[in-house]
Amino acid sequence: MLATATGTSLRIYSLNSLTLLSTITGGHKRSIRSCAWKPGSGDTAIIATGSFDASVGIWSQEVDDNEEWRFAIVLDGHESEVKSVSWSAGGNMLATSSRDKSVWIWEEVADDDYETVAVLQEHEGDVKCVSWHPEEEMLASGSYDDDIRLWREEIDDWGCVSVLRGHQSTVWAVAWEPLPPKDESIGSRLISCSDDITIRIWKKAPNQERQAQSRLSIIKSTNGEEWVEEAQLPKTHVRTIYSVAWSKETHRIASVGGDGKIAVYGEEKQLSGGWEVLAVYDCAHREFEINHVVWAKAKVDGTVQEVLVSTGDDGEVKIWTVS
């Protein structure tokens, strides 16, 4: 299933039939800015939403019983609009970020019962995005202050373990590589996109590289965890890049932005920079900006295949195949 937000409502679509299943209303007082499916929730479908009304909503539906969606719980605490929500890989923790410059981490302690386990306030600007590592309890956040911060829990206390610096303007989105690369020496990687019209890939620094890295791209953390910029993707966009997505199947990367383009990149280690542009589609939502892109599985012409889903300021949701 696919969830999208428009105004104060959610729309749920089937990616098998490409039809609208449900329209959910009544939870938030102002527009929904972000939504995310909870992983591992079994027969109950659960979605978190972040709204301009400064609240976070949890919605649920018993899938087998085909019941109506219910607004299960509201999480209050942020002092301004909520920009991003993200579930941990195990589904037991939810991260939220806000214009109030904070990142909150919530833990589910029982059904429909969440408690705050951390309020992280080291960013100096609006926190645009949060994203959990696909395997570890590690969180990335990107901000209007141009920085990316990585967070871990140490001795029952969450703290920043690394600050990634290099972007020259607002970081709009961050996304983890969904599975470890075939070359195990590379380790986990993170991608980011920015108002500075760059897309950057970050990785944890091998010991031998640490001393050679410029302080413009890394700050040494208190526990010695260091991350460095591995690459910048080829330039295809001419305006702000709002969203990036990393494919679990092909390891390709997709990006969208204010110029209305959808771009797809592939990794080619023998090239200078390591990445090449595979496809660019102009005016994908006509003259409108594109604000989000994700990889998904959908049935197209009777075959289940990986597709790209994009949403634009034209109010449309579009599904794309990439050959």
Side-chain angles (χ1 to χ4, degrees):
M1 291 191 292
L2 174 73
T4 66
T6 177
T8 58
S9 65
L10 280 174
R11 293 180 181 178
I12 310 298
Y13 296 89
S14 167
L15 286 174
N16 287 325
S17 61
L18 304 182
T19 57
L20 177 66
L21 299 177
S22 303
T23 300
I24 310 168
T25 60
H28 290 290
K29 297 176 181 177
R30 296 183 61 193
S31 295
I32 297 170
R33 178 67 178 82
S34 176
C35 59
W37 292 97
K38 179 182 178 182
S41 56
D43 293 332
T44 303
I46 297 175
I47 303 175
T49 53
S51 169
F52 279 78
D53 65 12
S55 71
V56 177
I58 308 293
W59 308 73
S60 66
Q61 180 197 49
E62 297 299 325
V63 178
D64 291 342
D65 297 335
N66 199 28
E67 294 181 356
E68 293 294 319
W69 284 87
R70 68 186 184 93
F71 195 54
I73 190 172
V74 61
L75 305 177
D76 288 317
H78 284 293
E79 297 176 356
S80 187
E81 57 201 53
V82 177
K83 293 299 185 72
S84 179
V85 295
S86 177
W87 293 97
S88 63
N92 61 314
M93 288 190 290
L94 176 69
T96 62
S97 67
S98 169
R99 189 177 180 181
D100 64 12
K101 306 179 185 179
S102 72
V103 174
W104 287 52
I105 298 177
W106 315 77
E107 184 173 15
E108 185 178 24
V109 294
D111 289 345
D112 296 343
D113 187 8
Y114 291 77
E115 66 178 27
T116 307
V117 295
V119 178
L120 310 171
Q121 298 178 298
E122 295 186 35
H123 278 294
E124 296 179 358
D126 179 349
V127 187
K128 298 291 188 183
C129 55
V130 283
S131 178
W132 285 97
H133 189 284
E135 294 179 338
E136 304 174 27
E137 288 191 350
M138 182 178 189
L139 182 70
S141 60
S143 171
Y144 185 79
D145 65 11
D146 309 346
D147 289 347
I148 300 163
R149 289 182 178 267
L150 304 182
W151 313 85
R152 287 187 189 272
E153 184 181 25
E154 297 180 345
I155 317 176
D156 298 324
D157 191 20
W158 283 84
C160 180
V161 298
S162 230
V163 183
L164 283 55
R165 287 187 173 149
H167 283 298
Q168 302 301 307
S169 191
T170 303
V171 178
W172 277 97
V174 291
W176 292 95
E177 187 170 16
L179 290 174
K182 295 178 181 178
D183 184 351
E184 295 183 358
S185 66
I186 296 176
S188 298
R189 294 186 291 182
L190 179 74
I191 191 168
S192 59
C193 65
S194 168
D195 191 51
D196 67 8
I197 322 179
T198 66
I199 301 172
R200 301 171 189 244
I201 295 177
W202 311 83
K203 68 174 183 178
K204 196 169 183 178
N207 290 335
Q208 65 269 23
E209 291 185 11
R210 293 180 180 175
Q211 298 302 320
Q213 292 298 322
S214 164
R215 290 185 60 83
L216 292 176
S217 63
I218 187 68
I219 286 185
K220 188 172 183 178
S221 65
T222 55
N223 72 346
E225 186 165 335
E226 298 181 27
W227 287 68
V228 296
E229 182 181 303
E230 179 187 64
Q232 289 190 35
L233 268 58
K235 292 187 180 296
T236 58
H237 293 280
V238 294
R239 294 180 64 186
T240 301
I241 305 169
Y242 289 127
S243 179
V244 285
W246 210 323
S247 166
K248 185 176 181 178
E249 294 238 328
T250 64
H251 283 257
R252 292 174 175 175
I253 289 171
S255 64
V256 297
D259 56 9
K261 293 180 180 180
I262 298 177
V264 179
Y265 313 82
E267 189 167 20
E268 179 50 72
K269 294 186 181 299
Q270 308 198 351
L271 290 175
S272 175
W275 290 82
E276 61 180 335
V277 179
L278 300 178
V280 177
Y281 196 98
D282 293 314
C283 301
H285 285 252
R286 302 189 301 279
E287 72 273 21
F288 296 94
E289 294 188 345
I290 306 176
N291 47 56
H292 196 63
V293 66
V294 294
W295 295 93
K297 286 289 192 68
K299 184 176 285 188
V300 180
D301 296 330
T303 303
V304 176
Q305 57 185 283
E306 188 176 54
V307 297
L308 277 173
V309 182
S310 63
T311 58
D313 284 351
D314 56 359
E316 294 184 354
V317 180
K318 294 190 174 184
I319 296 177
W320 309 84
T321 57
V322 182
S323 59

